[in-house]
Amino acid sequence: MNFVFDVDGTLTPSRDVINHVFADWFLNFAKNNNVYLVSGSDYQKTLEQLGTSICHTVKGVYNCAGNALNVKGQPVYSNSFELTDDEYRFLETLLELSAYPERTGQHIEMRTGLCNFSIVGRGASREQRKTYIHYDTAINERKNLAELINRQFPRLEATVAGETGIDIYLYGKDKAQIADDLSSFLVIRLR
């Protein structure tokens, strides 16, 4: 049996490191089971959150919504993806039109196989993130923006991701694509 664990919000607090007591337990679990990880972040961020021991013990680490796979720290594959000029300008327009007042930079981040888009920005502090989360919860800004992107660009799929972002990838290239690699899997969400 294969076990697939999401990283942010499941094994770790969003964009944070794993609890050291839980890390010891999880490492032992990974040594005795077929464990795979999946994250919207890149491999380097997953290493920072979970550590080399866990990332090299699990059977595989799917990053960027499954658009890249690393096994024992070695890249196995990656999917390429670039926004067109029209798609990029559309995201810039959404950023300009958002009523949310605070911007911290790094709003459009290209990753392997996907683009992460954030109104508040990837540079937001923990407090700035909390403020945006409260705002987004009240008005569903990210959900509405993702729907706009999906209607405007049928080749793309935009989904609410993490606490403050929207992940954008080619249609069908989301985390579910790892099912192609794993014939049967069980997803466990730890909270």
Side-chain angles (χ1 to χ4, degrees):
M1 177 182 296
N2 296 319
F3 295 89
V4 181
F5 291 86
D6 192 47
V7 177
D8 286 298
T10 303
L11 298 178
T12 71
S14 189
R15 295 184 49 94
D16 209 345
V17 297
I18 192 168
N19 171 283
H20 72 281
V21 174
F22 178 61
D24 290 340
W25 178 89
F26 189 76
L27 182 59
N28 187 55
F29 181 82
K31 287 177 181 176
N32 296 300
N33 293 281
N34 292 329
V35 174
Y36 296 84
L37 305 175
V38 62
S39 176
S41 296
D42 62 25
Y43 185 68
Q44 185 58 43
K45 181 62 180 164
T46 303
L47 276 174
E48 292 168 12
Q49 291 177 272
L50 299 177
T52 304
S53 293
I54 289 175
C55 289
H56 285 199
T57 298
V58 299
K59 299 293 184 190
V61 180
Y62 292 93
N63 290 102
C64 303
N67 285 293
L69 171 62
N70 281 276
V71 174
K72 309 288 186 224
Q74 298 301 310
V76 174
Y77 72 77
S78 63
N79 297 324
S80 63
F81 166 68
E82 294 292 328
L83 292 172
T84 66
D85 290 343
D86 286 344
E87 292 161 350
Y88 195 90
R89 280 193 299 274
F90 189 77
L91 295 181
E92 288 178 324
T93 300
L94 294 178
L95 181 62
E96 290 172 17
L97 294 176
S98 171
Y100 190 73
E102 190 165 22
R103 304 290 195 275
T104 64
Q106 298 174 319
H107 303 282
I108 302 172
E109 180 181 83
M110 292 306 299
R111 299 178 185 165
T112 302
L114 72 83
C115 171
N116 181 265
F117 176 63
S118 174
I119 295 294
V120 68
R122 307 288 304 159
S125 68
R126 179 69 49 203
E127 274 308 307
Q128 291 166 321
R129 292 171 68 81
K130 285 181 184 176
T131 302
Y132 181 77
I133 291 165
H134 179 69
Y135 171 83
D136 183 52
T137 300
I139 70 160
N140 290 312
E141 179 177 57
R142 294 184 304 151
K143 178 180 178 277
N144 294 330
L145 293 178
E147 289 172 0
L148 282 172
I149 294 164
N150 290 332
R151 279 196 304 269
Q152 185 71 23
F153 301 103
R155 83 178 192 119
L156 300 179
E157 188 171 0
T159 59
V160 171
E163 294 178 330
T164 64
I166 297 171
D167 281 346
I168 305 163
Y169 30 76
L170 292 175
Y171 190 83
K173 293 296 184 180
D174 62 351
K175 290 179 182 178
Q177 70 181 309
I178 68 173
D180 294 340
D181 284 353
L182 306 173
S183 59
S184 65
F185 63 94
L186 172 66
V187 175
I188 300 174
R189 291 196 60 92
L190 302 175
R191 292 265 176 202

